[in-house]
């Protein structure tokens, strides 16, 4: 039976039905066409692409996940299946590509080639202006690949900032290019400049670059899921990431693992979260909890830098190395060797030539014994420089600095990054020695850069005067172009912070030993009236033998008097209450507080008050009365040690020298094991590596061993790093032979006090000041006896003589210790590590001397206690 509507004229009904269906079909067709015009294909067939393209317009990262070919196939599908959509506007993904072309960077190559192969499909479509400039697929690929690299050298702040104002794709491109910087080939072409360099201005590139870039991209943990082989991965263009990829990648020899070691990744992630003095303090949010800022190990306050410097740092790239690795200059698929290595001053650097680089603290530099020349020149004596024999190829840009010692150091893998710059391994292929190269980009055109320069100068000045087995050794510094290189002893084990993150809390033996060594370094430092102000796990390095070294003296200060205002510097969780409250003058005791926090950090992997966000933690520290939680698993003396350190009244805190007598550390056992089978077994293997004949070494060693206190072997047993100790070479894995020619830089004879003007390389406290130092007074038997307990009434740091070591004005080459040992300090170089440590503690415990020392582990246990 016909339906009710069928009761009308069947013809009309049919007509009406047809017209309805037609209308419906038209509507549907129209809608379909519109949809396709956006998505570029039917949802079913092109769903993935659609998703990607849609997201791609929003998410730069995802845009990278779409390969050019995919885009093309989607477009093909669209154009062939929906010809009616041709007159419609380009799919949403296209404008960015055009935008990229407009920036002169690149265009997805495949669409170009595909389009040319199917012109009929695209004839009606608008054609990006740049397409004709890309004649073929290979060129396009090359453009992409090399383009990714070419912008690297211009990764300065302005470029990056500029890039933020560009289309996401342009930024994407820029950033992606930075990540490619580490590829060997990229290192070569990086000097090509500008992000917006028109493709036509570039030289032809080889497609091989692409694969290199791709490999690099795939190393990024942030990108790995998205871009196993996509050249143009887009990354968030925040300050953090801007730096991370390029710096990591800038090392010519780094592996993906190295590039993204825990510390590096963490540092990358939080670099912008560093807590700076110039940031709004309360509620700024920059003072992050250990989960963020703390984890970086770099949430120090006081570095007067900002994202700008990070951006500057992001330019860190191999070609700026004073001595680029051969890999960087080896011919490769894209071996357009740009000498950008040491290009003249980057425009962003203010255009001040290296020689005329004005340091904010230049006057101070000249005042000081060392560096002997302005920092724009190496503080090494040229005559003593390793670079005096120009056997190591230098980049053309370095030709005007032939005596630069740094030109012998080739920049290797990235070790880490900090406030001021990136730290790389440096390798001297002539001597076989390694160092750590801190690379800092110098910008002289703004206040912050000047401030950072000032801080760096302060660090250099301080470090150059320190020589101690538990303090990272400074070798020298130089500027190359707009970059400052600071050469330091390489401590290959990384920071305590990193070790804690990777391996968890320390066991008791290590905890005691590390604490003792930190104390030893602090005692030495404090004896020089220098306060570190940023003691924490991230600033303490460990070598493979367990030797601990204080590092990062960027916030250190030489106390010249009591009037020194206590500035808010340090890392919140390790910061002493008086620092937070700004209630006290310059005070060495702030380091003791930080040490207590560091002990807790080593015992638990987190500093005290880490459960609080940064500002809250500071409030707790500054205003609270309670002590932080001390873990139960700490031994009793460990708990007491921490409590001693964490006394709110700095005057009640013991000195570092006093704490060396604390039972928790007094008998800390050495971590290093002697090499079995060695005739010197049981002795400091460092001595065996002496560049000198064994005779003086053993003579000195014997003298030292047989006259030292029990605690000396702890340091004796730890080899001094190869570079840090003149003529004393380490047995670190990097130096298996243990026989290396001494670095001219580190050689005490060559240095002539150049880099260590005060101590002559002995690391010892200047003899003429011994009696002036409260530490030494204490150490030589006049240690104030606490009235209640051994640590309850430590001397007030404010009582210390403000004149001690004032100016540290010992002339280079001073024959320190000559009265004690009958030899100039530098002739005691074999035992310099011993002397340095010895003096800082000998003064404390002359009542604990032992007749002789046997470093054999078996007998050590006997010696202990
Ligand atoms: N001498 C060294 N040997 C080995 N690694 C080092 C050395 N110096 C620094 N590093 C690594 O580089 C990282 C950054 O170095 P450093 O902390 O000195 O830089 P910075 O700019 O002073 O940092 P901060 O932000 O703490 O002031 C360290 O965390 C460490 O991993």
């Amino acid at each position: 039976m016909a339906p009710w509507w069928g009761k009308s004229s069947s013809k009309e009904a049919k007509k009406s039905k047809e017209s309805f269906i037609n209308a419906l079909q038209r509507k549907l067709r129209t809608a379909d066409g519109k949809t396709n015009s956006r998505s570029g294909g039917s949802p079913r067939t092109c769903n993935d692409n659609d998703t990607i393209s849609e997201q791609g317009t929003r998410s730069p990262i995802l845009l990278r996940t779409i390969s050019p070919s995919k885009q093309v196939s989607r477009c093909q599908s669209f154009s062939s299946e929906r010809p009616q959509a041709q007159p419609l506007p380009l799919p949403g993904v296209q404008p960015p590509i055009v935008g990229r072309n407009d920036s002169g960077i690149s265009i997805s190559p495949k669409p170009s080639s595909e389009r040319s192969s199917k012109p009929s499909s695209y004839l009606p479509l608008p054609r990006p202006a740049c397409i004709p400039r890309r004649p073929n697929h290979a060129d396009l690929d090359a453009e992409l690949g090399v383009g990714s690299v070419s912008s690297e050298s211009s990764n300065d702040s302005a470029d990056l900032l500029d890039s933020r104002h560009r289309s996401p794709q342009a930024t994407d491109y820029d950033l992606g290019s930075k990540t490619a910087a580490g590829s060997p080939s990229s290192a070569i072409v990086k000097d090509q400049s500008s992000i917006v360099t028109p493709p036509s201005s570039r030289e032809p590139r080889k497609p091989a670059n692409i694969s290199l870039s791709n490999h690099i991209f795939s190393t990024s943990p942030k990108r790995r899921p998205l871009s196993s082989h996509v050249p143009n991965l887009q990354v968030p263009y925040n300050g953090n990431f801007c730096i991370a990829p390029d710096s990591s990648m800038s090392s010519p020899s780094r592996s993906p693992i190295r590039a993204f070691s825990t510390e590096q990744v963490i540092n990358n992630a939080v670099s912008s979260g560093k807590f700076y003095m110039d940031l709004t303090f309360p509620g700024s949010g920059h003072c992050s909890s250990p989960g963020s800022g703390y984890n970086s190990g770099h949430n120090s306050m006081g570095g007067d830098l900002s994202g700008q410097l990070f951006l500057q740092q992001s330019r860190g790239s191999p070609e700026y190395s004073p001595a680029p690795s051969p890999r960087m200059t080896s011919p490769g698929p894209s071996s357009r060797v740009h000498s950008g290595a040491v290009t003249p001053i980057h425009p962003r650097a203010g255009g001040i030539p290296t020689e005329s680089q004005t340091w904010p603290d230049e006057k101070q530099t000249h005042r000081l014994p060392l560096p002997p020349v302005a920092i724009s020149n190496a503080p090494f004596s040229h005559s003593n420089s390793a670079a005096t024999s120009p056997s190591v190829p230098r980049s053309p840009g370095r030709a005007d600095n032939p005596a630069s010692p740094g030109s012998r150091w080739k920049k290797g893998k990235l070790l880490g990054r900090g406030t001021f710059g990136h730290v790389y391994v440096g390798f001297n292929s002539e001597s076989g020695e390694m160092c750590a190269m801190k690379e800092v980009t110098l910008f002289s055109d703004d206040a912050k850069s000047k401030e950072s320069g000032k801080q760096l100068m302060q660090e250099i000045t301080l470090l150059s005067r320190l020589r101690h087995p538990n303090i990272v050794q400074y070798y020298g510094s130089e500027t190359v172009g707009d970059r400052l290189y600071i050469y330091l002893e390489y401590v290959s084990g990384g920071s305590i912070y990193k070790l804690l993150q990777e391996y968890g809390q320390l066991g008791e033996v290590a905890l005691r030993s590390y604490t003792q060594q930190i104390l030893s370094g602090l005692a030495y430092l404090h004896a020089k009236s220098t306060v570190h102000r940023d003691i924490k796990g991230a600033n303490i390095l460990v070598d493979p033998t367990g030797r601990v070294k204080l590092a990062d003296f960027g916030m250190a200060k030489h106390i010249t008097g009591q009037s020194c205002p206590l500035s808010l510097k340090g890392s919140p969780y390790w910061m002493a209450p008086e620092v937070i409250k700004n209630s006290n003058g310059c005070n060495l005791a702030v380091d003791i507080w930080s040490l207590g926090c560091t002990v807790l950090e080593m015992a638990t992997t987190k500093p005290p008050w880490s459960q609080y966000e940064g500002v809250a933690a500071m409030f707790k520290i500054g205003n609270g009365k309670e002590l932080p939680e001390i873990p139960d698993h700490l031994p009793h003396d460990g708990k007491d040690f921490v409590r001693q350190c964490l006394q709110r009244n700095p005057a009640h805190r013991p000195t570092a020298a006093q704490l060396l007598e604390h039972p928790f550390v007094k008998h800390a056992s050495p971590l290093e094991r002697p090499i079995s089978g060695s005739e010197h077994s049981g002795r400091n293997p460092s001595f065996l590596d002496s560049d000198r004949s064994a005779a003086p070494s053993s003579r000195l060693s014997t003298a030292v061993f047989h006259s030292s206190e029990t605690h000396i072997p702890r340091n004796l047993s730890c080899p001094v790093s190869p570079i840090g100790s003149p003529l004393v070479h380490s047995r670190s894995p990097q130096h298996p032979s243990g026989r290396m020619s001494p670095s001219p830089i580190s050689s005490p004879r060559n240095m002539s006090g150049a880099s260590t003007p005060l101590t002559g390389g002995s690391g010892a406290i200047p003899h003429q000041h011994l009696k002036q130092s409260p530490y030494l007074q204490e150490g030589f038997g006049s240690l104030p006896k606490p009235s209640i307990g051994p640590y309850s009434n430590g001397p007030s740091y404010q009582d210390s003589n403000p004149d001690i070591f004032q100016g540290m004005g010992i002339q280079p080459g001073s024959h320190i210790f000559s009265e004690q040992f009958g030899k100039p300090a530098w002739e005691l170089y074999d035992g310099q590590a011993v002397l340095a440590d010895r003096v800082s503690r000998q003064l404390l415990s002359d009542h604990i001397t032992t007749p002789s020392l046997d470093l054999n582990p078996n007998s050590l246990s006997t010696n202990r206690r």
Side-chain angles (χ1 to χ4, degrees), residues 226-262:
L226 297 172
S227 62
S228 58
H229 69 291
V230 180
N232 286 331
L233 175 65
Q234 188 165 13
V235 296
Y237 34 88
N238 56 55
N240 289 338
F241 213 78
C242 285
I243 298 163
D246 115 274
S247 57
S248 309
M249 303 295 176
S250 61
S251 171
S253 58
R254 50 178 278 290
S255 70
I257 293 174
R258 284 200 307 261
F260 295 99
S261 67
T262 305

Side-chain angles (χ1 to χ4, degrees), residues 263 267 274 297-298 300 313 415-423 435-436 438 459 472 488-495 498 534 536 538-539 541 551-555:
E263 191 162 31
N267 287 347
K274 290 187 181 184
H298 283 280
S300 302
Q313 293 163 10
L415 291 171
R417 57 175 58 80
T419 304
F420 296 116
H422 299 145
V423 181
C435 76
K438 187 181 276 193
E459 182 174 4
V472 69
L488 302 164
E489 171 186 9
Y490 174 42
V491 189
S492 61
S495 68
K498 189 185 100 178
D534 203 11
K536 60 177 179 179
N539 288 335
L541 304 174
D552 194 356
F553 284 74
M555 296 189 191

Side-chain angles (χ1 to χ4, degrees), residues 27 138 293 386 716 727:
K27 225 168 190 180
L716 284 176
L727 302 177

Side-chain angles (χ1 to χ4, degrees), residues 219-516:
T219 63
S220 167
K222 290 191 178 185
R223 302 162 189 160
R224 193 173 293 123
L226 297 172
S227 62
S228 58
H229 69 291
V230 180
N232 286 331
L233 175 65
Q234 188 165 13
V235 296
Y237 34 88
N238 56 55
N240 289 338
F241 213 78
C242 285
I243 298 163
D246 115 274
S247 57
S248 309
M249 303 295 176
S250 61
S251 171
S253 58
R254 50 178 278 290
S255 70
I257 293 174
R258 284 200 307 261
F260 295 99
S261 67
T262 305
E263 191 162 31
Q264 292 175 22
V265 170
I266 291 170
N267 287 347
N268 295 351
V270 298
S271 57
S272 70
K274 290 187 181 184
F275 203 86
Y276 298 112
M277 287 297 293
D278 55 347
L279 296 176
T280 307
F281 194 68
S284 69
H286 291 277
C287 187
S288 49
S289 70
S292 52
Y294 155 66
N295 282 345
S296 75
H298 283 280
N299 53 349
S300 302
M301 301 173 64
D304 191 15
L305 300 172
S306 68
Q308 181 203 353
L309 191 63
F310 291 123
L311 296 173
Q312 293 165 4
Q313 293 163 10
S314 73
R315 302 195 313 148
S317 56
E319 76 271 28
Y320 283 90
S321 166
S325 159
R327 287 197 211 179
M328 295 158 51
T329 51
S330 64
S334 57
S335 58
R336 287 204 311 139
V337 179
H338 294 268
S339 66
V342 207
T343 28
I345 306 300
H346 191 284
R348 309 280 182 198
I352 299 175
T354 301
E355 289 70 22
S356 63
Q357 183 88 37
T358 302
W359 282 81
D361 221 11
E362 195 169 352
K363 282 181 186 172
Q364 182 192 351
T365 306
H366 288 301
R367 271 206 316 268
L368 298 169
L370 273 182
V373 292
I375 194 59
S376 56
N377 297 315
F380 307 112
S381 163
H382 282 182
S383 61
N384 301 327
S385 165
T388 47
S389 73
S391 56
V392 177
R394 299 186 182 97
S395 69
R398 214 171 294 121
D400 58 348
N401 189 18
S404 164
S407 55
R408 285 217 168 179
W409 294 104
K410 299 174 181 177
K411 189 165 77 177
K413 71 174 181 178
L414 179 73
L415 291 171
R417 57 175 58 80
T419 304
F420 296 116
H422 299 145
V423 181
Y424 299 90
V425 171
F427 183 66
N428 184 332
S429 52
E430 294 220 336
S431 69
E433 291 172 315
M434 294 182 180
C435 76
M437 303 168 58
K438 187 181 276 193
E439 180 188 67
V440 183
T441 302
L442 302 172
F443 284 66
S444 58
D445 54 356
D446 66 76
K448 283 185 177 175
S449 297
K450 283 179 180 167
E451 174 62 23
S452 67
K454 191 176 174 183
Q455 291 198 30
L456 280 167
M457 274 305 302
Q458 180 173 295
E459 182 174 4
I460 289 171
T461 302
L462 279 168
L463 268 176
S464 67
R465 295 166 175 178
L466 304 175
R467 185 166 289 267
H468 188 274
N470 296 120
I471 292 177
V472 69
Q473 185 60 52
Y474 166 81
Y475 302 148
S477 56
E478 65 173 348
T479 53
V480 177
D482 61 347
R483 297 191 178 210
L484 167 67
Y485 289 89
I486 303 173
Y487 302 96
L488 302 164
E489 171 186 9
Y490 174 42
V491 189
S492 61
S495 68
I496 286 179
Y497 164 79
K498 189 185 100 178
L499 294 174
L500 294 173
Q501 296 304 306
E502 292 183 3
Y503 305 105
Q505 65 196 41
L506 296 184
E508 186 180 328
V509 171
L511 186 62
R512 289 177 188 269
S513 175
Y514 283 19
T515 305
Q516 186 273 335

